[in-house]
């Protein structure tokens, strides 16, 4: 059996890969050994920016990881202001940090419609290594809030967060767009952090320090199965 590598590049990964290719060509023309080094960097980028083949189970009770990475933190919180409105309710916030060695593509945690896609400009401070530094970064760094509502009127929010390396928070899906769980939704280029806000009654399926895979790892389960779908 012939092994065929998964080298299909995600649409949002092409600008980075194209820039790396130009640098590689120019460097090779000046000094070939250095060009070979940049070629290796380009191949590594291609691995991280590829469109992976993920198998998402058809379960509308499960909220799936939106990004590859390590679960940094799990805390009780409230939805960001733009979602909370006048009746803020407690939620569980799951923070996932994508590493440079992870696949960078982000996917939809649930099946539903995009209700909100809002970019809020800010800084790109380093995330650090403790909750104090993480909270400081949340308050000052650029972020993109993506709210998704499923057919049972249950909502979650995915927040892409900027960092020293992640300076482009990308989700080109317009409000009203329907997305399947596990379908590509965007990218934080590169090695960004995401906060996933889920209803407080959800059962957590992961723990701090665990490595999760976008579109495959269930991170939470809705409290109960609703009786009727919204038409």
């Amino acid at each position: 059996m012939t092994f065929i590598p998964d080298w299909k590049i995600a649409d949002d990964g092409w600008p980075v890969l194209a820039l790396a290719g130009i640098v590689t060509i120019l460097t090779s023309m000046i000094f070939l050994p250095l060009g070979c080094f940049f070629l290796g960097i380009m191949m590594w980028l291609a691995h991280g920016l590829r469109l992976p083949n993920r198998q998402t189970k058809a379960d509308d009770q499960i909220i799936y990881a939106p990004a590859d990475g390590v679960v940094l933190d799990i805390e009780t919180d409230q939805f960001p202001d733009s979602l909370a409105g006048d009746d803020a309710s407690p939620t569980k916030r799951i923070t996932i940090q994508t590493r440079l060695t992870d696949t960078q593509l982000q996917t939809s945690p649930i099946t539903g419609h995009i209700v909100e896609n809002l970019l809020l400009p800010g800084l790109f401070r380093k995330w650090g290594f403790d909750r104090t530094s993480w909270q400081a970064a949340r308050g000052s760094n650029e972020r993109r809030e993506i709210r998704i509502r499923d057919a049972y009127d249950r909502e979650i929010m995915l927040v892409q967060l900027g960092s020293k390396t992640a300076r482009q928070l990308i989700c080109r899906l317009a409000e009203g767009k329907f997305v399947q769980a596990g379908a590509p939704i965007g990218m934080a280029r590169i090695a960004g952090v995401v906060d996933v806000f889920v209803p407080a009654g959800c059962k957590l399926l992961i723990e701090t320090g665990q490595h999760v895979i976008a579109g495959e790892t269930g991170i939470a389960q809705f409290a109960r199965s609703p009786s009727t779908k919204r038409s």
Side-chain angles (χ1 to χ4, degrees):
M1 179 181 294
T2 303
F3 174 73
I4 302 176
D6 185 8
W7 285 114
K8 185 176 181 181
I9 305 301
D11 291 343
D12 293 322
W14 275 114
V16 176
L17 200 59
L19 179 60
I22 293 172
V23 172
T24 299
I25 292 172
L26 294 177
T27 305
S28 298
M29 294 173 64
I30 298 170
F31 185 55
L32 185 57
L34 187 58
C36 292
F37 170 77
F38 278 106
L39 179 61
I41 296 294
M42 183 178 173
M43 296 298 290
W44 166 72
L45 281 172
H47 175 78
L49 297 171
R50 75 191 192 283
L51 186 65
N53 183 19
R54 299 287 167 81
Q55 302 296 322
T56 303
K57 295 180 180 179
D59 190 336
D60 58 14
Q61 287 300 106
I62 300 298
I63 301 168
Y64 295 95
D68 286 17
V70 175
V71 179
L72 283 186
D73 196 24
I74 301 173
E75 280 288 310
T76 299
D77 203 343
Q78 290 186 335
F79 279 117
D81 293 341
S82 58
L83 179 59
D86 296 328
D87 186 22
S89 58
T91 70
K92 292 175 180 176
R93 169 173 45 79
I94 303 168
T95 304
I96 302 171
Q97 183 175 40
T98 299
R99 301 170 299 186
L100 289 170
T101 54
D102 290 319
T103 301
Q104 303 298 311
L105 185 71
Q106 296 177 355
T107 60
S108 178
I110 61 174
T111 297
H113 288 84
I114 304 291
V115 178
E116 182 178 63
N117 182 356
L118 178 64
L119 179 66
L120 301 172
L123 304 176
F124 296 95
R125 293 178 174 173
K126 185 177 180 180
W127 266 83
F129 302 98
D130 54 47
R131 287 178 175 172
T132 301
S133 63
W134 299 337
Q135 196 58 35
R138 282 192 188 93
S140 61
N141 283 12
E142 184 161 303
R143 71 184 191 271
R144 180 182 291 275
E145 299 176 355
I146 306 164
R147 181 161 51 116
I148 306 173
R149 179 185 299 149
D150 72 4
Y152 301 102
D153 284 328
R154 301 174 300 195
E155 295 185 359
I156 62 97
M157 178 176 275
L158 167 65
V159 181
Q160 299 174 330
L161 296 158
S163 66
K164 278 287 188 181
T165 58
R167 293 175 173 267
Q168 293 177 309
L169 308 179
I170 302 167
C171 177
R172 307 184 194 280
L173 302 181
E175 295 177 5
K177 175 72 175 180
F178 177 79
V179 290
Q180 292 279 358
I185 198 172
M187 186 179 293
R189 295 193 302 224
I190 57 174
V193 177
V194 295
D195 279 340
V196 188
F197 292 83
V198 304
C202 287
K203 175 185 176 181
L204 295 178
L205 304 177
I206 41 83
E207 58 186 19
T208 303
Q210 180 177 339
H211 187 272
V212 296
I213 299 175
E216 290 191 355
T217 304
I219 59 175
Q221 181 178 7
F222 285 111
R224 60 183 181 276
S225 179
S227 56
T228 57
K229 278 189 176 183
R230 172 170 42 85
S231 58

